[in-house]
């Protein structure tokens, strides 16, 4: 009886174990099926990116240069007198802006110069009368052809001498000397009472250019490598180096590019024509100039969009199905944070500017919040 009791109890244990195993197997199958369903429902991995539109437009290579306003020799005008004179009044002062025709100073010609002018007038009058008398004698047969020719030559010589005196502007008494151009008085060498010799510089002016002027009024220095890319007519924008005038700027064009390196500065001299009427750039002001060179129509892309590896430079665009497409590009010019590039870009597809470092060609992407397609 005891043996039979043990047999029944053992059988009960076996049945319980079998039931537990069956239940565990069923539970494992259910969990496995659920795991498979979850795996199948998960989306393919993608990279979050931000995109911007891409288009072709003019982009330039930016060259930065430094220089000084109003120091180019081509824009400097020196005022002097072609005769000896005494300065009686000075009507301007250094730094003063003057208009064309404005009085600069008053002079009185040296008595010797006035006498020379008077003598030239008298000689011309005498030669004119002598020619008239010789012509009358010639008509009466009392003068020869040679005498008539001599009288004519004497009058021509006297008239030329008088014309030279008149060009010099000599006149008896005081004379006001006017400014030959609009500009700024950069140097004043005359003082009341000075005896100025012929040809002596009395005033130096720095001309203020108008929009149509061609002379340079800003002198810049650039590296020789940059100078090779700059040409007359390139756009230039001046900026003040003063912290208080950061917003002040003036726009003009390159007028001249030097053909040699300056021995002192080791830079190439470049002259710019920038209309400065009404601007806060006084002669002698040091400035920073931004010169637009090699202007062309390129694909304008942000610097962040362009990547580089052993195969060269490239960008990514978003193609149908939200796939990244690698496009080979060549950077032509650089303007601040913008590149001008050439390549087989598609203007209808967004250009990836953020997240592109994680991409490979054909990878799935998703537009991050704040990005634009």
């Amino acid at each position: 009886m005891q043996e039979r009791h043990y047999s029944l109890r053992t059988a009960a244990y076996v049945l319980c174990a079998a039931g537990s195993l069956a239940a565990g197997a069923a539970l494992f199958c259910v969990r496995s099926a659920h795991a498979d369903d979850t795996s199948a429902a998960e989306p393919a991995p993608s990279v979050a990116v931000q995109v911007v539109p891409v288009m072709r437009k003019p982009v330039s290579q930016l060259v930065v240069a430094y220089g000084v306003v109003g120091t180019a020799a081509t824009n400097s005008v020196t005022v002097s007198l072609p005769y000896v004179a005494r300065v009686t009044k000075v009507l301007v002062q250094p730094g003063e802006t003057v208009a064309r025709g404005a009085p600069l100073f008053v002079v009185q010609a040296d008595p010797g110069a006035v006498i020379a002018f008077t003598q030239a007038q008298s000689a011309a009058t005498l030669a004119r009368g002598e020619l008239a008398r010789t012509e009358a004698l010639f008509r009466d047969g009392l003068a020869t052809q040679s005498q008539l020719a001599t009288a004519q030559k004497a009058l021509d010589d006297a008239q030329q001498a008088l014309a030279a005196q008149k060009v010099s502007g000599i006149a008896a008494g005081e004379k006001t000397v006017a400014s030959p151009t609009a500009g700024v008085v950069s140097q004043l060498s005359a003082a009341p009472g000075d005896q100025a010799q012929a040809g002596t510089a009395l005033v130096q002016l720095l001309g203020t250019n108008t929009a149509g002027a061609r002379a340079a009024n800003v002198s810049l220095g650039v590296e020789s490598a940059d100078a090779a890319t700059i040409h007359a007519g390139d756009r230039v924008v001046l900026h003040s180096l003063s912290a208080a005038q950061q917003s002040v700027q003036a726009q003009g064009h390159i007028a001249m590019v030097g053909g040699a390196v300056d021995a002192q500065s080791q830079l190439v001299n470049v002259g710019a024509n920038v209309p400065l009427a009404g601007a806060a750039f006084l002669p002698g002001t040091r400035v920073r100039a931004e010169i637009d060179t090699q202007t062309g129509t390129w694909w304008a892309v942000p610097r962040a969009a362009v990547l580089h590896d052993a195969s060269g430079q490239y960008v990514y665009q978003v193609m149908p199905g939200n796939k990244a497409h690698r496009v080979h590009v060549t950077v032509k010019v650089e303007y601040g944070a913008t590149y001008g590039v050439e390549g087989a870009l598609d203007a209808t597809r967004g250009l990836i500017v953020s997240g592109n470092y994680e991409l490979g060609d054909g990878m799935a992407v998703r537009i991050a919040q704040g990005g634009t397609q």
Side-chain angles (χ1 to χ4, degrees):
M1 288 297 292
Q2 187 175 6
E3 183 178 349
R4 182 180 177 185
H5 178 71
Y6 286 142
S7 297
L8 290 174
R9 187 166 53 186
T10 301
Y13 285 146
V14 171
L15 289 173
C16 288
S20 298
L21 288 174
L27 180 60
F28 174 78
C29 291
V30 171
R31 288 181 177 175
S32 297
H34 178 70
D36 291 343
D37 291 343
T38 302
S39 176
E42 287 182 354
S46 60
V47 177
V49 299
Q50 288 185 332
V51 299
V52 296
V54 62
M55 65 184 67
R56 294 182 70 87
K57 64 180 182 180
V59 184
S60 304
Q61 180 72 41
L62 181 65
V63 174
V64 177
Y66 294 86
V68 184
V69 171
T71 60
T74 55
N75 203 48
S76 178
V77 177
T78 299
V79 179
S80 61
L81 296 173
Y83 54 88
V84 179
R86 183 173 65 88
V87 178
T88 60
K89 296 178 182 178
V90 177
L91 306 175
V92 293
Q93 58 185 353
E96 182 177 345
T97 300
V98 296
R100 179 183 176 88
L104 299 177
F105 45 85
V106 178
V107 300
Q108 188 172 29
D110 182 75
V114 175
I115 291 173
F117 176 69
T118 303
Q119 289 177 340
Q121 287 179 315
S122 299
T125 301
L126 178 62
R128 190 176 297 108
E130 186 63 26
L131 176 61
R133 286 189 295 272
T134 303
E135 288 175 338
L137 292 172
F138 181 76
R139 288 193 297 269
D140 294 338
L142 300 176
T144 65
Q145 182 70 40
S146 177
Q147 289 173 324
L148 180 61
T150 300
Q152 181 64 58
K153 183 179 184 307
L155 177 60
D156 292 342
D157 292 345
Q159 288 178 331
Q160 290 178 2
L162 178 60
Q165 292 289 335
K166 288 182 177 179
V167 169
S168 67
I170 298 175
E174 291 187 336
K175 177 183 177 180
T176 300
V177 178
S179 174
T181 183
V184 177
V185 179
S186 63
Q187 186 175 350
L188 184 63
S189 305
D194 287 352
Q195 187 79 3
Q197 299 299 314
T200 301
L202 301 177
V203 174
Q204 188 173 36
L205 300 171
L206 294 176
T208 54
N209 291 62
T210 60
R214 296 179 61 86
N217 63 340
V218 180
S219 180
L220 305 170
V222 301
E223 297 289 345
S224 56
D226 292 332
T229 67
I230 301 174
H231 300 87
D234 285 347
R235 176 176 175 268
V236 59
V237 179
L238 296 186
H239 299 271
S240 174
L241 295 181
S242 170
Q245 295 181 319
Q246 289 297 311
S247 61
V248 177
Q249 64 180 39
Q251 179 177 316
H253 295 85
I254 296 299
M256 177 277 299
V257 181
V261 175
D262 185 89
Q264 183 175 1
S265 66
Q266 293 299 300
L267 299 173
V268 176
N269 293 323
V270 173
N273 166 30
V274 182
L276 298 176
F281 295 102
L282 299 176
T285 302
R286 299 196 63 82
V287 294
R288 176 175 61 89
E290 295 179 350
I291 306 170
D292 293 345
T293 69
Q294 305 180 73
T295 301
T297 302
W298 318 103
W299 291 108
V301 303
R303 180 194 295 264
V306 180
L307 304 177
H308 183 275
D309 62 13
S311 300
Q313 296 164 319
Y314 62 97
V315 298
Y316 283 109
Q317 287 194 280
V318 179
M319 302 305 286
N322 282 348
K323 300 293 184 181
H325 175 57
R326 173 171 169 153
V327 182
H328 172 75
V329 296
T330 302
V331 175
K332 295 294 185 179
V333 295
E334 177 182 355
Y335 194 100
T338 300
Y339 281 147
V341 306
E342 272 298 351
L345 296 177
D346 187 341
T348 65
R349 305 298 178 187
L351 179 74
I352 298 177
V353 295
S354 177
N356 47 355
Y357 284 94
E358 306 175 44
L359 295 176
D361 195 19
M363 285 186 63
V365 297
R366 66 183 185 279
I367 308 302
Q369 187 176 3
T372 57
Q373 179 92 35

